[in-house]
Amino acid sequence: MVTHEQPRAENRTRVRGAMTAEEETWFDADAGPLARPYTVTGGRTRTDTIGLDLLTLVVAVTTIMEAAILPQEYARVVRLCQQPLSVAEVAAYLELPLPVVKVLLADLIEQNHVIFRSATSMAAAPDERILQAVLDGIRRL
Amino acid sequence: MASADSDRAATTVDSPVRGQLSNPGAQQGIPHYRRNLNAMTLKLLVAGGFGVGKTTMVGSVSEVPPLHTEEALTAASASVDDLTGVEKKTTTTVALDFGRITINPELILYLFGTPGQDRFWFMWDELAVGALGAVILADTRRLESCFPAVDFFERRGVPFVVGVNCFDDAYRYGTEEVRDALELDRGIPVLLCDAREKESTKQVLITLIEHVMGTKKTLTSAYRLS
């Protein structure tokens, strides 16, 4: 289902890396990560995720090279977030549930590896100009 | 990686800028190509019964093939035995399919489809809060499956339109028949569509945004009158 180039390729490497090229197995990249989701967060389901929302944009300020010393799942997040992505996209591309990704991101934000910008709140509902831009954008599709 | 309390305190005191930035692009040291963290993200929802074509609709206009993720929701169980006085908690996983339309570098629109086989997404506050509007996709063979979505968006005050997805083997009802069956207000747009077709989905979304703009105007003038 997930066809984003980078994580897809990465996932394939992770799975295929464990076997010889000829070997047939019952699982492939579509089976998703083989670690149980909450093992990557050490079993934590922290509630304090700095208000990260589905649409919060995140971007890494740490380079891929610098992130190499981080635990694997954190390094994956940093690699993926070299350009801004929403929290929902990070979860989808890493094939991890949202609560897990929020924990990983909150940790990375606390450690200054990632910065974020919150989604527009209801208080700042988009004005006429924004709605018109959305309308024009959809018409152009 | 687990943060010690001292780390947390240090983050708060020494580098508050690392958290939420009002204008991250202006920060020194952030490469130019990453500066569009300033982009505004907006969301539209696509709801409706199971198998009605929500993900198909999302995919027909999304710039990336539909993405998939899951959220864990905890809710009080529906079958509570009042006599015991103990409320059961149920944790359930809700799935989400979504697509993305980059309107311009400052504006990203996400389309979230709520897979319909579970009723729990109605408790997903994060999904509904801040939604610009919603499309309720209806299948005339199972109109009752969109009742919960109609109730939900009416209660939450999320503007919505109803798209009647025209399946090949379904009898073609008129939009007015669908409106009556769903007991919709006159002001709520109902239109026939084909969720597989980009142009058709575009028309549904255009109608929705125009409806949102109209609703906003009405609210503003009502406010001024009062």
Side-chain angles (χ1 to χ4, degrees):
Chain A
M1 201 61 198
V2 178
T3 54
H4 188 265
E5 287 298 323
Q6 183 192 347
R8 178 66 179 234
E10 179 191 67
N11 206 12
R12 196 175 293 138
T13 314
R14 285 198 311 138
V15 173
R16 299 268 156 83
M19 69 193 83
T20 63
E22 298 81 23
E23 206 175 340
E24 284 285 323
T25 53
W26 54 271
F27 63 88
D28 57 15
D30 287 333
L34 294 175
R36 279 183 161 275
Y38 288 88
T39 59
V40 305
T41 64
R44 290 174 310 136
T45 56
R46 77 183 251 179
T47 48
D48 160 38
T49 51
I50 330 179
L52 292 174
D53 172 78
L54 286 171
L55 292 191
T56 307
L57 286 180
V58 293
V59 69
V61 289
T62 300
T63 64
I64 295 172
M65 291 279 280
E66 290 163 345
I69 56 160
L70 296 174
Q72 190 194 350
E73 293 300 333
Y74 291 99
R76 287 182 74 206
V77 177
V78 170
R79 274 202 299 278
L80 182 65
C81 295
Q82 292 298 301
Q83 280 131 45
L85 284 176
S86 63
V87 170
E89 283 168 299
V90 175
Y93 289 136
L94 294 181
E95 298 179 4
L96 290 171
L98 279 160
V100 173
V101 164
K102 285 178 183 174
V103 170
L104 297 177
L105 282 170
D107 286 345
L108 286 167
I109 288 163
E110 277 183 354
Q111 306 283 323
N112 296 339
H113 292 298
V114 166
I115 54 173
F116 73 107
R117 178 185 161 88
S118 288
T120 319
S121 68
M122 266 314 251
D127 58 22
E128 198 80 356
R129 190 180 53 84
I130 302 283
L131 290 172
Q132 189 61 48
V134 171
L135 196 55
D136 295 343
I138 293 170
R139 287 202 172 109
R140 274 198 310 270
L141 285 177
Chain B
M1 197 63 204
S3 207
D5 282 340
S6 58
D7 284 347
R8 195 166 301 173
T11 306
T12 317
V13 176
D14 294 331
S15 53
V17 293
R18 285 301 196 180
Q20 189 168 358
L21 303 173
S22 57
N23 183 9
Q27 285 300 120
Q28 294 294 312
I30 301 175
H32 178 76
Y33 66 88
R34 291 191 199 157
R35 288 186 188 175
N36 54 347
L37 194 57
N38 278 323
M40 181 188 254
T41 49
L42 297 172
K43 70 182 156 192
L44 297 177
L45 307 182
V46 181
F50 177 62
V52 72
K54 298 180 292 289
T55 304
T56 306
M57 176 171 258
V58 168
S60 71
V61 288
S62 174
E63 67 198 36
V64 292
L67 299 165
H68 178 87
T69 189
E70 285 170 1
E71 174 68 295
L73 292 184
T74 307
S77 170
S79 56
V80 177
D81 185 349
D82 287 338
L83 293 174
T84 66
V86 179
E87 219 181 46
K88 271 190 193 164
K89 291 277 184 180
T90 310
T91 303
T92 184
T93 301
V94 233
L96 191 63
D97 290 336
F98 64 101
R100 166 180 169 139
I101 300 171
T102 307
I103 302 282
N104 61 47
E106 277 78 46
L107 204 53
I108 307 165
L109 183 65
Y110 290 93
L111 263 68
F112 287 96
T114 55
Q117 71 273 42
D118 55 62
R119 55 204 164 82
F120 289 103
W121 72 265
F122 297 110
M123 294 176 296
W124 195 341
D125 289 324
E126 189 184 333
L127 192 60
V129 170
L132 206 53
V135 174
I136 297 177
L137 205 50
D139 176 351
T140 54
R141 296 166 300 186
R142 290 172 293 163
L143 265 187
E144 69 284 354
S145 65
C146 43
F147 286 143
V150 172
D151 287 345
F152 177 76
F153 294 125
E154 279 179 348
R155 217 168 45 237
R156 294 293 192 114
V158 176
F160 65 94
V161 301
V162 174
V164 182
N165 199 8
C166 294
F167 288 87
D168 294 336
D169 60 336
Y171 174 77
R172 300 295 168 92
Y173 288 88
T175 53
E176 289 311 303
E177 289 174 272
V178 173
R179 179 193 304 285
D180 289 344
L182 294 179
E183 297 173 29
L184 300 174
D185 286 346
R186 289 289 123 192
I188 295 171
V190 179
L191 63 166
L192 302 178
C193 67
D194 182 341
R196 296 166 300 184
E197 293 296 326
K198 182 180 183 180
E199 287 306 315
S200 181
T201 300
K202 271 173 66 176
Q203 197 49 53
V204 173
L205 296 182
I206 288 166
T207 306
L208 173 60
I209 302 298
E210 285 172 345
H211 178 57
V212 171
M213 293 168 94
T215 309
K216 261 179 79 98
K217 271 188 189 134
T218 313
L219 287 176
T220 312
S221 51
Y223 177 74
R224 283 196 187 122
L225 284 172
S226 61

